[in-house]
Amino acid sequence: MDRNHLKRQVDFMKRSFLDQGYLDEQFIQLEELQDDDNPNFVEEIVTLFFNDSARLLQNIEQALVSGPIDFAKLDNYMHQFKGSSSSIGAKRVKDECTRFKEYCTAGNAEGCFRTFVQVKQEHATLRTKLETYFQLARQAGPPGTSRGQVR
Amino acid sequence: MLEPPTKITALVVDDDTINQMIHHRLLDNLGIRNQVVRNGKEAIDVHCSGKNFDLILMDMEMPVMNGIEATRKLRAMGIRSMIAGVSTNTRERENFMKAGLDDYQEKPLTTSKLVSILHKVHKDG
């Protein structure tokens, strides 16, 4: 397993996530906060995000299916979820959240249902992609050893 | 290479664990000693216990006591620290500023946003 080859693969994967809009600049910002003392910072944050968001998504699902829809409550939940998504650079997820919130504001239940399916889908897709990414990144070893970046 | 640790201290006030981690790391990375609390009330309590900070990063929407109320209270207590509001709620921005903020930044916070806040921090004495 050539380390450099793996590193190139990791970089390429990240590039493609950015190009396809799964992630945005915020993810890069988080990676720049990693160093020898905090080598797994991004993976830790992302893991935290997926744990937290699973709960939030459950709450939203509950709110959607139980009784008359409380759009204010939904909007509140989604605002939280959008915030965390934005914090880790989860662009596509964030964009779907924005759409959902627009339907909430408009009191459009059908729109909310439809968009929520999209939110869950983007969330699941990103989760899989990032799991693979971090697995590969761990195999490739800590960054910076071959970069020699000076700030 | 990182600058040598400064003597600036900071308080992160945010209910979201992810933002807590990110802001804590951003500050650590700049050599700024910092503490994290989960809401406005805890921010008040930590000041009542005698602690003081050069910079307070204040989230707006928090349970128990939100950022607007906490900022008002801190100012009423005579706290002169630099308070930077960090939020995504643009509707309440004006009210937040009026409560006594020195600066306001949109989330997510980045190193460059933090640096621009820090340029405004005064170190007394």
Side-chain angles (χ1 to χ4, degrees):
Chain A
M1 284 276 187
D2 179 37
R3 272 275 195 91
N4 281 325
H5 175 72
L6 282 171
K7 282 193 207 283
R8 277 200 303 274
Q9 254 190 289
V10 171
D11 279 338
F12 180 78
M13 210 186 254
K14 183 169 55 184
R15 261 293 119 204
S16 75
F17 291 163
L18 288 162
D19 291 341
Q20 292 168 54
Y22 286 105
L23 295 174
D24 63 27
E25 178 60 28
Q26 178 62 12
F27 189 81
I28 307 298
Q29 290 284 324
L30 293 182
E31 286 203 322
E32 289 185 356
L33 292 176
Q34 278 187 164
D35 59 19
D36 292 335
D37 295 327
N38 301 270
N40 303 308
F41 179 68
V42 187
E43 190 173 356
E44 283 165 18
I45 296 263
V46 168
T47 305
L48 187 59
F49 168 75
F50 282 109
N51 288 337
D52 274 2
S53 58
R55 221 182 352 105
L56 260 176
L57 288 177
Q58 248 173 26
N59 288 343
I60 296 173
E61 181 121 40
Q62 265 301 106
L64 276 172
V65 301
S66 40
I69 296 197
D70 183 346
F71 288 108
K73 190 182 197 179
L74 274 180
D75 186 72
N76 229 326
Y77 279 140
M78 198 44 96
H79 185 77
Q80 265 187 278
F81 184 58
K82 182 182 166 183
S84 326
S85 306
S86 173
S87 292
I88 69 155
K91 185 172 189 305
R92 282 203 192 185
V93 176
K94 181 183 73 167
D95 289 345
E96 291 302 333
C97 291
T98 305
R99 241 163 254 137
F100 185 95
K101 279 167 67 73
E102 283 166 6
Y103 283 120
C104 278
T105 310
N108 184 336
E110 203 224 311
C112 285
F113 275 108
R114 263 186 296 120
T115 317
F116 188 58
V117 172
Q118 292 298 110
V119 169
K120 282 194 291 184
Q121 204 157 315
E122 290 296 346
H123 181 256
T125 303
L126 184 65
R127 182 179 216 145
T128 309
K129 285 186 186 287
L130 286 177
E131 267 167 10
T132 311
Y133 175 78
F134 286 121
Q135 228 166 41
L136 202 61
R138 264 182 266 126
Q139 281 172 31
T145 42
S146 52
R147 265 201 266 137
Q149 233 179 345
V150 175
R151 290 238 220 102
Chain B
M1 208 39 223
L2 292 173
E3 290 165 31
T6 69
K7 294 248 180 71
I8 296 184
T9 58
L11 178 68
V12 174
V13 190
D14 202 314
D15 63 318
D16 180 72
T17 331
I18 293 172
N19 287 320
Q20 285 175 4
M21 270 182 84
I22 295 177
H23 296 173
H24 175 71
R25 183 80 201 98
L26 276 171
L27 289 162
D28 266 358
N29 205 33
L30 292 171
I32 296 170
R33 275 198 348 265
N34 64 95
Q35 196 174 328
V36 177
V37 294
R38 292 174 303 177
N39 58 57
K41 179 167 186 307
E42 290 188 6
I44 306 295
D45 290 346
V46 82
H47 280 87
C48 286
S49 77
K51 284 215 168 140
N52 221 298
F53 305 88
D54 300 299
L55 168 65
I56 301 173
L57 294 179
M58 185 78 81
D59 181 26
M60 211 207 68
E61 287 159 328
M62 295 178 287
V64 186
M65 187 190 293
N66 67 35
I68 294 180
E69 206 188 327
T71 303
R72 267 196 214 119
K73 277 220 159 81
L74 287 172
R75 292 306 189 207
M77 281 162 65
I79 302 295
R80 295 264 184 277
S81 315
M82 163 115 190
I83 306 181
V86 183
S87 186
T88 53
N89 192 327
T90 42
R91 259 182 300 133
E92 293 285 351
R93 178 179 174 154
E94 210 182 312
N95 284 336
F96 204 5
M97 288 296 296
K98 282 194 186 141
L101 295 182
D102 297 295
D103 196 11
Y104 177 94
Q105 293 288 346
E106 294 270 334
K107 273 189 205 171
L109 212 57
T110 60
T111 302
S112 59
K113 284 182 188 174
L114 192 48
V115 167
S116 84
I117 293 172
L118 287 167
H119 278 146
K120 302 184 187 175
V121 172
H122 305 295
K123 192 87 185 99
D124 287 328

